[in-house]
Amino acid sequence: LARGWNESTDGPRPDVWSPASRSWVEILRVHRVGGDRSDLIPTSLPSLIQSPLIIAMPRPMAEALGWPDKAIGWHDILALARDAHGWARYGHPEWGPFRLGKTNPTVSTSGLHALLDTYYAATELTADLTAADVRRPEVVQFVKDIEQSVEHYGNTAATFMQNLGTADAAGDAMGYMSAIAVEEKQLFDYNRQTARKTPLAAIYPSEGTLVADHPYVVLRASWVDETKQRAAALFLAYLEAPQRQERFRAEGFRDQDGRGGPDLTQRWGVLPAGPVTVLPAPSAETLAAVEASWREVRKRARVLMVLDTSGSMSGEKLELMKRGASAGLELFLDDDELAVWSFGTGRENVAAMGPVGPRRTELNRAISGLIAAGGTRLYDTTREAVKEIAASVDPHRISAVVVLTDGVNTNGNSDLEALLRDLRAATLETRVRTFTIAYGTDADRSILQRIAEATRGASYDASNPASIETVFEEVIGNF
């Protein structure tokens, strides 16, 4: 919508758009007007359903902070995150430091709302947040300090919830994350799944929070003629009818007026009243300033990229991977740190760990020079990569390993269970995450999923080699 709709690549043109939040509507307005194109957004933006942004915590942690009786906010989170003693501040040294999980605000509503929430909290405003407020040094520092507690980012909250469920099943929910910024609906769904040993509690930030209000946007486009406008109005009336609103409420959403259903109760970790203060989506100008600030405030990364150059990668697959990896380099900030390894029958250190900015040309040249040959020494190389990063963790950076392969382990140690045990042991204290990419149709996605899960990372599917640039973009969105 921002760049102009192309039916040959984007599919049929939409008549109605319903993003999760009107914040995206304002961001679209910025990009459309900024790109000297007509405004697609109508004056009327009715809300279909609602779900507020919450800070989801394992219930014992939330209760240690005073939930459900005490108002808890981002200032409390920041004080805990800054405290070198971590949860010992509340009498629980066994919980370690405070660890926050949140999604990438450039692609995720919960990530965008969490970032906006912290800007509002830093200014102590509940409305009229301006671009000038966003740029104030003390405000930027507040947001940076919150981001420093982030364990890693992600494109969707589902990755965090899945990893949390795995940790909970192993009796270690509180060892995974202290808190995850998600929508209330996601916490509701998580808690209602069977056999949760440690359910989550919803903290509604005391400074106020944004709400995913699911606006119904009938696009002001040339192809949305009067007939389509009438159809859109009829469908809106259908969705707004009491019986449909009741269905939404039964599924854990709030209705257009913020009222929850009969199951949206403390039993399932939520407070029926919801947030005390609902924050408005800022102006388009302010959202543009928040967008621009992201590269400055986000936590920096320290990443080891491990690329398969076995013989099966020869030809177009290797060239597409090189192109995708080079495109991925552009997503790192200048002061992010990156190293590159390749592996076939053996392992090669392609580029040593160091800042990306001064070495972009060098890194691109090194990647473009990769040659495919040999077998696939997957398990040993993965083990060595994780140990390499774990041995020199920087607490001020997100530490991660990215492993791309198009096949299965054919060389070196072949004991998968031993590898998984080693990965769990190496990352227990250091928190190094492994993100795997199954490249092409011959990669064993189930094994790569297990490798990622052993370090509570995530696995990505690039079975279509042509999708590798997009997949690299998704993976690097974690950092």
Side-chain angles (χ1 to χ4, degrees), residues 145-476:
D145 288 350
I146 291 284
E147 298 299 327
Q148 273 300 309
S149 69
V150 168
E151 191 79 358
H152 72 84
Y153 300 102
N155 281 356
T156 69
T159 298
F160 291 105
M161 303 308 266
Q162 179 179 337
N163 284 338
L164 180 62
T166 301
D168 180 69
D172 190 34
M174 289 177 289
Y176 172 56
M177 289 283 177
S178 305
I180 306 172
V182 296
E183 286 155 24
E184 182 184 61
K185 157 70 171 165
Q186 293 164 311
L187 176 144
F188 178 79
D189 288 343
Y190 177 89
N191 280 349
R192 282 168 63 89
Q193 293 188 30
T194 58
R196 293 297 186 205
K197 296 178 182 177
T198 306
L200 295 172
I203 292 173
Y204 303 83
S206 56
E207 302 91 347
T209 194
L210 277 93
V211 169
D213 57 348
H214 296 267
Y216 188 84
V217 184
V218 183
L219 297 174
R220 294 198 312 186
S222 58
W223 62 85
V224 185
D225 57 24
E226 289 186 11
T227 301
K228 290 181 176 181
Q229 289 174 18
R230 287 196 297 272
L234 287 169
F235 188 52
L236 173 61
Y238 172 83
L239 294 173
E240 290 181 322
Q243 54 267 50
R244 251 70 64 191
Q245 288 292 308
E246 285 301 311
R247 175 72 183 276
F248 288 136
R249 292 172 72 210
E251 295 294 330
F253 288 101
R254 294 177 183 269
D255 66 14
Q256 300 155 306
D257 299 317
R259 296 173 301 187
D263 289 334
L264 211 58
T265 64
Q266 195 170 314
R267 176 191 175 194
W268 298 115
V270 302
L271 302 183
V276 174
T277 303
V278 172
L279 302 173
S283 68
E285 180 189 11
T286 303
L287 279 165
V290 170
E291 264 196 311
S293 78
W294 174 237
R295 292 175 68 84
E296 178 183 359
V297 301
R298 79 150 174 82
K299 192 173 183 178
R300 283 359 188 201
R302 191 167 191 269
V303 178
L304 174 52
M305 188 183 293
V306 182
L307 304 175
D308 185 345
T309 53
S310 59
S312 59
M313 286 285 292
S314 61
E316 185 183 31
K317 283 171 72 175
L318 182 65
E319 295 309 310
L320 287 172
M321 183 199 73
K322 290 179 184 179
R323 192 183 311 164
S326 292
L329 288 178
E330 299 306 311
L331 302 176
F332 286 96
L333 300 183
D334 286 351
D335 53 349
D336 283 331
E337 295 180 353
L338 178 69
V340 182
W341 289 1
S342 66
F343 70 98
T345 304
R347 187 196 89 201
E348 180 182 353
N349 295 350
V350 177
M353 185 66 72
V356 173
R359 304 186 303 147
R360 286 189 197 275
T361 301
E362 174 190 337
L363 289 164
N364 272 305
R365 188 183 302 117
I367 290 170
S368 67
L370 294 174
I371 298 172
T376 307
R377 185 178 178 269
L378 174 62
Y379 294 176
D380 284 346
T381 306
T382 300
R383 179 186 288 107
E384 291 161 6
V386 170
K387 286 185 176 180
E388 176 84 7
I389 294 296
S392 55
V393 165
D394 181 344
H396 302 295
R397 294 178 180 270
I398 294 169
S399 297
V401 173
V402 177
V403 179
L404 176 147
T405 184
D406 77 328
V408 295
N409 186 72
T410 61
N411 291 83
N413 193 316
S414 61
D415 189 338
L416 175 61
E417 295 304 323
L419 170 65
L420 299 179
R421 287 195 299 271
D422 288 347
L423 294 183
R424 292 187 193 103
T427 60
L428 185 62
E429 296 297 328
T430 59
R431 320 289 293 183
V432 175
R433 308 293 180 196
T434 302
F435 299 87
T436 57
I437 301 174
Y439 185 51
T441 56
D442 294 329
D444 191 322
R445 283 184 284 169
S446 63
I447 287 178
L448 293 173
Q449 179 73 42
R450 292 187 68 191
I451 289 173
E453 288 177 350
T455 64
R456 295 171 185 167
S459 189
Y460 293 83
D461 179 10
S463 51
N464 177 5
S467 70
I468 191 60
E469 283 194 36
T470 300
V471 171
F472 266 116
E473 183 177 341
E474 291 177 358
V475 173
I476 294 169

Side-chain angles (χ1 to χ4, degrees), residues 101-151:
K102 64 195 291 281
T103 49
N104 185 328
T106 65
V107 294
S108 165
T109 301
S110 60
L112 176 62
H113 282 179
L115 183 61
L116 289 169
D117 267 17
T118 55
Y119 272 110
Y120 270 112
T123 59
E124 300 185 357
L125 294 170
T126 55
D128 301 321
L129 183 70
T130 67
D133 292 323
V134 169
R135 299 187 186 105
R136 282 162 43 196
E138 69 275 17
V139 170
V140 172
Q141 192 59 55
F142 181 100
V143 175
K144 272 186 175 181
D145 288 350
I146 291 284
E147 298 299 327
Q148 273 300 309
S149 69
V150 168
E151 191 79 358

